[in-house]
Amino acid sequence: MDMQPPPALVQFAQAEVPPDQPVEPTPIKVDVSKYIPESATAVTMIVTLTPPTGQAVIYPAGHENEGTLFKGPRSIDEVKLTGPIVYVKLYGATSFDIQYTNYRQPD
């Protein structure tokens, strides 16, 4: 009688794929020069977000990691400027409205 080893059990493990990362929102370009002088170094804004549970990050060009966070439905804060353009990234918000209340100029 021939003795044969038992059949080999082979299992293939599916490689774990990390969950999909949330998609980073596309920045919206906003020209603030219509409302404040180009020499301004900062502007105080009132930001209204829709829906009110949304959030927005507003930052000057080239300073993506130094943005100011606005939480809905309505909040006020200062945004530093490096020129006449700021960018808005919406998180959970579908639209926004900005009111400019004050600005700072170089001393």
Side-chain angles (χ1 to χ4, degrees), residues 14 21 32 35 38 40 46 48 55 64 66 72 91:
Q14 182 175 357
Q21 296 294 326
V32 299
Y35 309 101
E38 281 197 43
I46 299 172
T48 305
Q55 298 180 8
E64 294 81 11
E66 301 170 21
Y91 296 88

Side-chain angles (χ1 to χ4, degrees), residues 2-77:
D2 289 335
M3 298 281 290
Q4 294 184 1
L9 295 176
V10 178
Q11 292 182 335
F12 291 98
Q14 182 175 357
E16 285 192 32
V17 178
D20 290 336
Q21 296 294 326
V23 176
E24 187 68 19
T26 303
I28 301 165
K29 184 177 180 179
V30 177
D31 184 350
V32 299
S33 66
K34 298 174 193 169
Y35 309 101
I36 60 170
E38 281 197 43
S39 60
T41 58
V43 60
T44 302
M45 302 176 172
I46 299 172
V47 177
T48 305
L49 298 168
T50 304
T53 56
Q55 298 180 8
V57 174
I58 302 179
Y59 58 90
H63 295 271
E64 294 81 11
N65 297 325
E66 301 170 21
T68 303
L69 177 64
F70 292 86
K71 294 183 179 183
R74 186 176 163 109
S75 57
I76 184 170
D77 207 339

Side-chain angles (χ1 to χ4, degrees), residues 35-43 78 81 102-107:
Y35 309 101
I36 60 170
E38 281 197 43
S39 60
T41 58
V43 60
E78 184 176 84
L81 299 174
N102 200 2
Y103 59 86
R104 282 193 288 150
Q105 294 204 48
D107 296 329

